[in-house]
Amino acid sequence: MNILVIGLNHKTADVEVREKLAFEGPKLAEATSALKSFPEVQESLIISTCNRVEICANVRELESGVERVKTFLSNFHDIPRDALDKGLYVYSGREALCHIFKVASSLDSMVVGEPQILGQFKEAFDFALKNRSTGVLLNRLMKKAISVAKRVRTETRIAENAVSISFAAVELAKKIFEDLSEKTFMLLGAGEMAELAARHLINSGVKNVLVANRTYERAVGLAKEFGGSPVHFDEFPAMMAHTDILICSTGARHYVLAKEQMHKVMKDRKNRPIFIIDISVPRNIDPGINDLDNVYLYDIDDLQGVVTANILERNKEAEKAESIVESEVETFLKWQASLDALPAVVALREMAEAIKNEELERLINKLPELGEKERKAIEYMASSIVNKLIHPPTAALKEDSEDRETLIAIIRKLYGINGEEE
Amino acid sequence: MNVLLFELALTSYFTATIICVAELLGLFKGSKIISKAILIFAAIGFLLHTVNIIGRYVEGGHIPITNLHEASSFFSWCIVLLFFILEYRYKLGLLGSFIMPIVFILMLSSSMLPRKIEPLSPLLKSYWLGIHTVLAFLGNAAFAMAFGIGVMYLVQERYVKSKHPGSLFQRLPSLQILDEINYKLITLGFPLLTLAIITGALWAESAWGSYWRWDPKETWSLITWLIYALVLHARLTAGWRGKKAAILSIVGFITVLFTFFGVNLLLKGLHAFV
């Protein structure tokens, strides 16, 4: 029993290599059944996402197992071995467990803490289950990995803060306004990032959308796309009285909204809060308006600052997550080691049971006059003796200790149990 | 028996408060189990507290709000009651962390004041006692909640305005919901306080023959009433919402506390019994 992970990810290989190695659609089924056919590979599972391709396997023997999987990858994708070897990492044993748990918990992702990977991980496992390519060991490992990921999610704040500018904007909007669906959003100008942020806002439930642009036709086009209404550029200050969230990116070289203007707007709004995001560089909105009550102005640097702080926060949480992973790896290793003792334990018990049954049969044949009650009592006594005798060695085998290997060998020798029954 | 119940309730609130403070300091990583633990300890405290108040009622034969110990205890009981209603309705998460310390401090003050059940003075033997005091304390409990929510608002507003969302940012509710609840609590507390003042005046008329005598308690109640009237008025006319409203609700609660403790302990008046 050897757990093995061979693969590559965004850190070790370029996108072209990752693309070539990806297992998509029918290729995945084909590869899964190919892997199943190799005698070296007892169990296998393929994780293939846009950022990583990994083969997890349980192989009989480490060296030949690695060789087998690498050759398979090279042949299957028609990539020369040396070109392939450059980007591949190979983990086994403890390292492999650690890696799998980290992948599932999104500690190995490009954006640490992003939630998609767990879904992809589950899909890969479901696929393997359906195709019966995994067995006792990998099933247990994958289930464990999923539970580790959930533990990381609940015990750390790893996925809590937005780590992209447009998501940070949405997150802030939600902390100012409870329910975005009742709010009016205005897009002023149409930079690419502003559009992206607008899309995220609309996906988060904003229904009332206004679009203002210097060229009115462009405003009309965008408004149509977002299901909103166009506004003439000159009218935008007046419309601010009805706007709760403003994203601004006009490309103008000067402020399009001054503090005095905003002061008046706030009066018209009866001081209802307004969230303004100025994505333009140079800035289009007088930064001084942030001093006004109930006005929350963020420029691109502010948002970037929030994102950076969030990333730092995630990295801090990632450290906590790593220690969770470490402890779970230990638990799994203990369980795996207890598997080593299992055949010996089973053989010992079988042997003892066989002796007991044989002796019981002989005795009962010799004493046919025994009644039901007496026979039961004798059987009970025999079972008891057997159980009491084999309990200490069984317990010793199951116990987690460094000399387990030696113990297994001794028991096998003492009782004459041979062979690698599994 | 009653003493034991009171001490147990105090201990339970104390435990909840300790957990609350630790949660605010981020010692529990915002785990959900912790918020549950706060609720459970608060609930146990509330149950014991309720039995304690009923016990005093039965023993004394009148509503137990006739000395500062009882009043302080009843005050915190009302706050916990309101806390559970708000928690059930809005599930604000961190609310407990801002409310339980107030409850604990009130209970602690209560525990340090003389607890003896005195026979009711003839002056207080009136059905107004129950009506006037319960109205006043329910109103004050609403103001205490508004205070807690106001503090939450200021913390959250600070995070948003400073552009450095800190550790509590994620767990605090949105500004809008905090502002709304703050407003609702004051619109709940204000009529209760008004009614308490009116019933107090009626009671004074029947007891002393005049509605209003400008004793310190009455004066300070009026100041409190004016502050909350200002909060509501400014909100409706000048759009004083958000930060200003939050600050005013904090100032309001400080006058409530002064009316309650300060007037009794520092300025002696006709209201000296409570």
Side-chain angles (χ1 to χ4, degrees):
Chain A
M1 279 192 304
N2 292 295
I3 291 176
L4 194 68
V5 177
I6 298 186
L8 42 76
N9 62 19
H10 56 280
K11 290 178 219 163
T12 66
D14 294 334
V15 66
E16 298 120 55
V17 185
R18 300 204 302 266
E19 271 167 8
K20 260 187 218 154
L21 238 68
F23 295 97
E24 279 160 349
K27 267 184 160 182
L28 182 62
E30 201 184 310
T32 305
S33 59
L35 279 168
K36 258 167 75 176
S37 69
F38 301 132
E40 296 92 334
V41 181
Q42 290 169 292
E43 304 174 55
S44 66
L45 176 143
I46 300 172
I47 299 168
S48 176
T49 73
C50 41
N51 278 333
R52 69 179 66 247
V53 176
E54 300 194 341
I55 293 181
C56 305
N58 172 17
V59 295
R60 277 186 202 288
E61 208 260 323
L62 210 54
E63 225 166 290
S64 63
V66 173
E67 195 47 39
R68 183 21 91 201
V69 174
K70 280 190 174 178
T71 317
F72 160 74
L73 278 174
S74 152
N75 293 343
F76 191 87
H77 292 294
D78 204 13
I79 302 171
R81 265 301 288 274
D82 41 339
L84 187 70
D85 275 352
K86 265 188 281 175
L88 280 186
Y89 42 78
V90 178
Y91 298 119
S92 61
R94 175 190 294 270
E95 278 188 324
L97 299 181
C98 214
H99 179 78
I100 291 167
F101 289 178
K102 278 189 191 171
V103 168
S105 324
S106 183
L107 294 173
D108 195 53
S109 301
M110 200 183 257
V111 177
V112 169
E114 54 97 2
Q116 289 95 317
I117 183 69
L118 185 60
Q120 291 162 332
F121 198 90
K122 281 183 189 158
E123 260 170 45
F125 182 37
D126 280 345
F127 188 84
L129 278 177
K130 237 177 250 158
N131 289 277
R132 297 175 186 283
S133 71
T134 52
V136 183
L137 191 62
L138 280 195
N139 285 346
R140 174 101 177 202
L141 176 62
M142 292 302 144
K143 278 184 194 147
K144 190 77 199 171
I146 291 166
S147 80
V148 171
K150 286 184 180 153
R151 213 186 128 191
V152 164
R153 185 73 46 85
T154 48
E155 291 182 24
T156 74
R157 289 207 288 264
I158 197 155
E160 219 169 54
N161 311 307
V163 288
S164 76
I165 296 233
S166 39
F167 274 112
V170 172
E171 192 179 73
L172 284 162
K174 282 184 180 163
K175 284 295 175 185
I176 296 170
F177 310 108
E178 180 67 16
D179 184 5
L180 296 185
S181 70
E182 307 164 344
K183 301 297 164 196
T184 301
F185 159 64
M186 178 151 65
L187 179 64
L188 182 63
E192 202 177 310
M193 204 187 293
E195 257 190 71
L196 189 64
R199 262 177 234 285
H200 279 311
L201 268 174
I202 291 162
N203 284 339
S204 310
V206 179
K207 290 194 189 82
N208 218 347
V209 181
L210 304 172
V211 182
N213 199 55
R214 272 196 207 285
T215 21
Y216 188 65
E217 288 69 40
R218 176 99 172 101
V220 172
L222 270 178
K224 205 169 171 190
E225 200 179 319
F226 291 149
S229 357
V231 171
H232 283 283
F233 195 81
D234 312 333
E235 285 167 12
F236 99 81
M239 290 308 281
M240 294 270 293
H242 312 285
T243 303
D244 303 295
I245 305 166
L246 174 79
I247 293 183
C248 170
S249 158
T250 67
R253 313 295 302 171
H254 53 84
Y255 295 157
V256 298
L257 189 69
K259 195 170 173 180
E260 289 69 46
Q261 250 176 316
M262 195 60 206
H263 206 81
K264 196 190 157 293
V265 167
M266 285 315 282
K267 259 191 193 149
D268 294 345
R269 300 177 59 76
K270 286 206 161 163
N271 268 318
R272 276 182 297 114
I274 183 165
F275 180 34
I276 303 178
I277 303 155
D278 185 2
I279 298 187
S280 22
V281 180
R283 287 179 292 183
N284 284 168
I285 310 242
D286 182 353
I289 70 168
N290 192 47
D291 301 336
L292 296 174
D293 247 2
N294 295 320
V295 178
Y296 304 97
L297 169 68
Y298 277 66
D299 63 33
I300 188 79
D301 285 355
D302 297 332
L303 283 178
Q304 189 56 56
V306 170
V307 167
T308 312
N310 287 350
I311 289 173
L312 282 178
E313 184 68 21
R314 278 198 181 192
N315 291 344
K316 229 177 7 185
E317 292 300 308
E319 281 170 29
K320 287 184 204 160
E322 301 241 351
S323 67
I324 292 177
V325 165
E326 282 294 326
S327 79
E328 293 283 1
V329 165
E330 285 313 313
T331 328
F332 193 86
L333 280 173
K334 273 184 195 157
W335 174 78
Q336 204 190 344
S338 75
L339 278 187
D340 290 344
L342 206 59
V345 171
V346 170
L348 184 61
R349 173 155 284 279
E350 276 173 357
M351 188 191 77
E353 286 287 321
I355 295 173
K356 181 190 83 179
N357 290 337
E358 203 182 299
E359 292 303 317
L360 269 178
E361 206 182 298
R362 206 183 302 164
L363 181 75
I364 283 157
N365 283 344
K366 265 191 204 157
L367 301 169
E369 67 277 17
L370 284 181
E372 181 71 10
K373 203 175 151 201
E374 288 83 359
R375 239 180 52 205
K376 278 265 157 69
I378 291 171
E379 274 174 19
Y380 179 77
M381 184 197 67
S383 296
S384 233
I385 293 175
V386 163
N387 284 340
K388 283 184 179 159
L389 272 178
I390 67 166
H391 177 71
T394 319
L397 282 178
K398 282 184 179 165
E399 198 179 294
D400 173 45
S401 71
E402 279 177 19
D403 46 4
R404 191 190 332 242
E405 295 277 313
T406 328
L407 277 183
I408 294 173
I410 292 172
I411 296 267
R412 287 192 183 283
K413 186 138 192 176
L414 281 178
Y415 289 97
I417 321 164
N418 289 312
E420 279 285 326
E421 303 96 305
E422 272 181 39
Chain B
M1 185 60 193
N2 259 327
V3 174
L4 180 68
L5 282 170
F6 183 86
E7 300 297 338
L8 287 175
L10 180 67
T11 314
S12 201
Y13 290 148
F14 176 64
T15 316
T17 307
I18 293 290
I19 304 174
C20 286
V21 172
E23 204 200 10
L24 279 185
L25 296 175
L27 297 182
F28 297 121
K29 306 170 195 161
S31 161
K32 282 174 191 131
I33 309 158
I34 292 308
S35 311
K36 281 249 164 64
I38 294 172
L39 280 181
I40 288 168
F41 279 107
I44 294 172
F46 186 67
L47 230 71
L48 296 164
H49 199 172
T50 310
V51 181
N52 163 261
I53 289 173
I54 295 172
R56 275 191 90 98
Y57 180 87
V58 171
E59 206 177 317
H62 56 84
I63 188 157
I65 323 183
T66 53
N67 61 31
L68 210 48
H69 161 72
E70 289 178 339
S72 194
S73 157
F74 186 70
F75 190 4
S76 50
W77 185 85
C78 291
I79 298 176
V80 183
L81 176 71
L82 210 55
F83 164 62
F84 280 115
I85 295 172
L86 243 71
E87 187 59 37
Y88 175 76
R89 171 79 176 74
Y90 295 102
K91 300 196 173 45
L92 291 183
L94 275 183
L95 179 63
S97 296
F98 287 82
I99 289 305
M100 285 320 285
I102 305 175
V103 170
F104 172 65
I105 290 169
L106 279 170
M107 281 295 272
L108 193 67
S109 335
S110 170
S111 77
M112 291 185 295
L113 292 159
R115 301 185 190 183
K116 204 159 166 262
I117 300 181
E118 302 278 358
L120 206 56
S121 78
L123 195 65
L124 293 180
K125 273 195 187 132
S126 161
Y127 57 91
W128 288 118
L129 173 66
I131 302 173
H132 170 67
T133 48
V134 169
L135 283 172
F137 281 109
L138 284 176
N140 285 349
F143 294 143
M145 288 311 259
F147 167 83
I149 298 272
V151 174
M152 286 168 89
Y153 185 95
L154 291 185
V155 173
Q156 185 69 309
E157 136 102 22
R158 187 84 218 111
Y159 282 136
V160 180
K161 201 82 172 183
S162 71
K163 297 162 186 182
H164 294 288
S167 52
L168 294 180
F169 170 75
Q170 283 298 342
R171 286 185 289 147
L172 282 167
S174 67
L175 292 174
Q176 183 187 344
I177 202 97
L178 288 171
D179 189 46
E180 271 174 27
I181 298 173
N182 183 284
Y183 178 56
K184 277 187 188 157
L185 283 165
I186 290 173
T187 50
L188 170 73
F190 186 70
L192 287 170
L193 178 66
T194 312
L195 286 173
I197 291 176
I198 293 172
T199 52
L202 292 174
W203 187 9
E205 207 276 334
S206 68
W208 297 312
S210 75
Y211 290 103
W212 196 265
R213 305 157 62 97
W214 293 107
D215 98 319
K217 188 82 166 191
E218 289 172 356
T219 313
W220 277 94
S221 301
L222 187 65
I223 295 172
T224 311
W225 187 87
L226 285 173
I227 289 178
Y228 285 108
L230 174 73
V231 176
L232 292 178
H233 179 75
R235 187 176 187 106
L236 291 175
T237 55
W240 272 35
R241 55 181 82 234
K243 194 175 172 184
K244 280 180 187 146
I247 291 171
L248 273 184
S249 62
I250 289 169
V251 173
F253 185 61
I254 292 170
T255 56
V256 166
L257 284 183
F258 186 78
T259 312
F260 184 62
F261 285 116
V263 170
N264 285 299
L265 301 174
L266 304 175
L267 315 165
K268 291 285 177 220
L270 287 169
H271 238 98
F273 38 83
V274 181

